Every structure is written in structure tokens, then in C-alpha cells.
Amino acid sequence: METKCPAPWKVFFVEANGDARPCCLISRPMGNLREQTFEEIWNGPRYQELRTTFVEQRNFWPECIGCSHHMRTDTM
């Protein structure tokens, strides 16, 4: 099955403390807007690591495996 999750390429949540996350299920921050620019976080190692898991279809983060968007067969 192909993953249909848009989060690694389209989502950027910001918490009140500046922590940036790619979705509501992933609690670990990808960076912090008080310490880094949007571009540094968006193109940084954490987002790149997450995107790679989806492109390679392996080593998914635990939060992603249980998500309903992880392995959708319908189109979004």
C-alpha cells in the first residue's frame, strides 16, 4: 500500500512556545521558531528524516504507524 500522508510536505504546526511539529500525533519538535527560521526547520534534518521514511516506505516513526493517514488507499 502507498502512504497518503501529506504532513511531511504540507504541514507545519507551531506551539505557543515556538516548537514546530508536522502533525498532531508527533510530539517531538522538529525545531523551534524562537531559535531557528521557518526555512531552517522546514529544510532541516528532522523534517528530512521524516520525509525519507515516507519516500523509502520504511523505518516509519512509531506515531505514524498508528495514524489513519499512514496507509490510506483512497485519494486525498
Side-chain angles (χ1 to χ4, degrees):
M1 274 191 260
E2 179 183 347
T3 186
K4 299 292 184 182
C5 180
W9 294 273
K10 295 183 178 184
V11 181
F12 192 92
F13 288 117
V14 180
E15 301 289 335
N17 67 357
D19 283 349
R21 299 185 301 121
C23 79
C24 61
L25 294 179
I26 295 177
S27 60
R28 56 185 129 170
M30 306 301 261
N32 187 290
L33 280 177
R34 294 182 180 182
E35 301 167 3
Q36 301 163 276
T37 66
F38 169 84
E39 290 81 10
E40 288 172 331
I41 298 169
W42 186 251
N43 297 314
R46 299 297 305 268
Y47 262 99
Q48 293 303 325
E49 176 188 344
L50 181 61
R51 291 178 186 124
T52 298
T53 67
F54 282 92
V55 169
E56 294 179 356
Q57 295 288 299
R58 62 185 182 90
N59 299 324
F60 291 105
W61 291 9
E63 303 94 329
C64 298
I65 293 171
C67 178
S68 63
H69 290 282
H70 176 65
M71 292 293 185
R72 292 182 61 166
T73 55
D74 60 327
T75 58
M76 295 183 92

